[in-house]
Amino acid sequence: MQEQDDLITRAQAWLAEDPDPETAAELAALIDAGDTAELADRFAGTLQFGTAGLRGEIGAGPMRMNRSVVIRAAAGLAAYLKAQGHDGGLVVVGYDARYKSADFARDTAAVMTGAGLRAAVLPRPLPTPVLAYAIRHLGAVAGVEVTASHNPPRDNGYKVYLGDGSQIVSPADADIAAEIARVDTLASVPRPESGWEDLGDGVLEAYLARTDAVLTPGSARGVRTVYTAMHGVGKDVVMAAFARAGFPAPVLVAEQAEPDPAFPTVAFPNPEEPGAMDLAFAKAAEVNPDIVIANDPDADRCAVAVPTADGWRMLRGDEVGALLAAHLVHKGAQGVFAESIVSSSLLGRIAEAAGVGYEETLTGFKWIARVEGLRYGYEEALGYCVDPEGVRDKDGVTAALLVAELASELKEQGRTLTDLLDDLAMAHGLHATDQLSVRVSDLSVIASAMAALRAEPPVSLAGLRVASAEDLTQGTETLPPTDGLRYYLEGDYKARVIVRPSGTEPKLKCYLEVVVPVAEASDLAPARTRGQEILDAIKKDLAAAAGI
């Protein structure tokens, strides 16, 4: 009974401070109903600030995304920036079109202003890469993007960048979290009603002018595209970028073209999820384009689909990553090509053959963007950084332009993206990749699976002996510690498996790769079949070993 009384007391104290009438009403209703189970869930701790910033379901209480949590996060960030000597520095704030995003952005600007920093807010919901660009363009000391990217509709998030234009990494995340924990009451956080700058379209215009830099002057621009913004904020910026570059205007998937936080036509607003691309493929069947391009809701990711004899096929992120790398090599790009450990090893082989640098990082663009001399970086989850001097993060707009340029050049030669993938397979082997991804409602399932694999590492997968098993919590010679496991399998297929908890969603993710030798074009079809057979067998055995 004492515990229930304490819970109600904490909930009432939170309610007394809640600045949002909606979440205040929600919490008051739970208290009045005596719903201690729901209250216990919402007050089980606090939403943790980490290298992905904050992300969670919108609702009342410290374990949800709401204005109270955001105000505390902003106050902690402001204190951290001042402790770093940035008092009076500029913080740029961007936001997407999700529920509460504009409120969270305005609260952040108010907190920064009240703390003695300068704040500037982008003029409307815009792609995340515009915010990442604005930080460097405006000489800001930090940036905040309010977005939950491709998470479910009821989620929102809070992504923090520092003045170099890249996302925070350790130890900044822990230092900011410590400052957040020091925030006493919301009343102690000054939040003036004005004093920050509402930016006009100048930053967006500068970003759009920069997008042209990824294209070769005079290159082919004839590709015909179907485009979906997935109910997000990408449409206007992508259409403007394509028009500036001289491409034919993409045909829009009208049902998904405008921002809508309810994401009514998709179960999950992620191009990788089953069914998310169905409307785009239906539009493609009508107009017969050369390619289909999709952004996720905050337009930092780019998905590509190609026509086949059986309809439209989504390219894997690893396939697009290799295509863009090959295109950049063809364009004479110099510098370092980088990817995270969960992405295909094909990039390293392309880089080696081209004589350009190559580096492997931990998962996430917060690491990829920090590679010295970076020219190109990608991650298998549809993220591509093709203009690191402009945007030190993944950018679904410039990636779409570069894909369109490549497809246009191939079209002039009577070839397709699929033909180039075949060329890469014959040059470097068929790199077949797949993923075993398990979404959970109880995070302990993920912890149990990781514990099971650590306690009894698999001896073989798909009949291939596990030659080495690394626990990445120990770090390696080239990588700092992270929660993950990596297995290399014996045999000619260079099979590799990486298992890790997702940093942004309640998922356990397992990344699989096999490399099947290909001597000539006639080997391609059987190599694809063989590669998928091995991947399927690895998935089955790995799921059994992890108990999922």
Side-chain angles (χ1 to χ4, degrees), residues 191-526:
R191 286 181 288 137
E193 293 294 322
S194 61
W196 56 89
E197 180 183 0
D198 290 313
L199 293 167
D201 282 339
V203 170
L204 176 59
E205 287 301 319
Y207 168 81
L208 284 168
R210 177 83 198 187
T211 61
D212 296 348
V214 305
L215 304 174
T216 300
S219 63
R221 309 282 165 96
V223 73
R224 294 178 301 109
T225 305
V226 160
Y227 170 76
T228 175
M230 204 66 67
H231 297 297
V233 298
K235 187 254 295 183
D236 290 346
V237 178
V238 166
M239 295 297 280
F242 270 61
R244 287 177 62 99
F247 288 103
V251 176
L252 296 174
V253 179
E255 302 94 326
Q256 299 174 334
E258 299 302 328
D260 187 336
F263 303 105
T265 68
V266 290
F268 289 96
N270 178 355
E272 294 178 294
E273 293 284 348
M277 296 292 288
D278 287 356
L279 288 172
F281 294 161
K283 177 59 69 174
E286 285 179 31
V287 302
N288 194 30
D290 301 302
I291 57 173
V292 172
I293 288 177
N295 286 137
D296 67 337
D298 69 326
D300 63 350
R301 299 169 194 251
C302 176
V304 182
V306 295
T308 72
D310 300 319
W312 286 84
R313 178 177 83 85
M314 273 277 290
L315 296 181
R316 292 189 172 276
D318 284 320
E319 292 177 307
V320 178
L323 287 169
L324 289 176
H327 186 44
L328 288 167
V329 165
H330 177 69
K331 286 157 69 83
Q334 294 295 312
V336 178
F337 285 22
E339 64 181 343
S340 68
I341 57 173
V342 300
S343 303
S344 172
S345 58
L346 177 56
L347 182 68
R349 293 181 172 89
I350 292 171
E352 182 181 15
V356 300
Y358 169 75
E359 192 163 326
E360 192 178 60
T361 75
L362 291 185
T363 309
F365 271 81
K366 56 184 177 283
W367 298 108
I368 293 171
R370 285 180 159 76
V371 168
E372 191 171 342
L374 180 68
R375 176 58 187 87
Y376 168 63
Y378 99 91
E379 192 157 70
E380 56 75 44
L382 310 182
Y384 315 95
C385 174
V386 300
D387 178 25
E389 290 306 306
V391 176
R392 297 194 76 80
D393 198 7
K394 55 187 177 291
D395 183 345
V397 179
T398 49
L401 286 175
L402 205 58
V403 166
E405 181 184 57
L406 171 58
S408 296
E409 290 185 357
L410 291 168
K411 183 179 179 180
E412 285 198 345
Q413 301 164 19
R415 305 179 75 232
T416 66
L417 296 176
T418 306
D419 293 329
L420 182 52
L421 285 172
D422 289 348
D423 292 348
L424 293 172
M426 286 187 281
H428 305 291
L430 179 74
H431 288 63
T433 61
D434 206 346
Q435 189 179 129
L436 172 62
S437 180
V438 181
R439 183 181 293 272
V440 302
S441 55
D442 180 359
L443 290 177
S444 69
V445 173
I446 295 175
S448 297
M450 295 297 289
L453 290 171
R454 287 189 168 106
E456 289 189 52
V459 176
S460 69
L461 295 167
L464 302 171
R465 194 176 78 83
V466 176
S468 69
E470 293 176 280
D471 187 341
L472 298 177
T473 55
Q474 308 303 311
T476 71
E477 288 184 8
T478 57
L479 297 171
T482 189
D483 186 9
L485 301 165
R486 180 163 60 180
Y487 308 115
Y488 289 101
L489 312 186
E490 279 192 345
D492 296 334
Y493 295 116
K494 300 183 177 69
R496 183 201 69 188
V497 175
I498 294 170
V499 184
R500 59 178 285 271
S502 170
T504 56
E505 297 178 271
K507 283 183 176 182
L508 180 69
K509 290 189 170 184
C510 310
Y511 305 84
L512 325 175
E513 179 179 53
V514 299
V515 184
V516 185
V518 176
E520 54 191 36
S522 60
D523 295 333
L524 284 166

Side-chain angles (χ1 to χ4, degrees), residues 124-148:
R124 57 185 172 279
L126 287 169
T128 293
V130 177
L131 181 277
Y133 170 81
I135 295 166
R136 290 160 66 89
H137 178 68
L138 297 175
V141 298
V144 171
E145 176 70 15
V146 180
T147 181

Side-chain angles (χ1 to χ4, degrees), residues 25-95:
E26 178 186 321
L27 184 54
L30 291 173
I31 294 171
D32 291 344
D35 192 343
T36 53
E38 182 65 21
L39 288 171
D41 182 53
R42 291 167 184 247
F43 285 83
T46 58
L47 207 57
Q48 291 301 298
F49 187 94
T51 50
L54 294 169
R55 197 172 289 188
E57 184 179 348
I58 295 170
M63 289 294 289
R64 299 288 188 268
M65 280 295 296
N66 51 63
R67 291 183 60 196
S68 297
V69 165
V70 164
I71 289 166
R72 290 172 181 273
L77 173 59
Y80 167 81
L81 292 172
K82 292 171 74 172
Q84 297 294 311
H86 296 310
D87 201 356
L90 175 66
V91 178
V92 190
V93 184
Y95 59 102

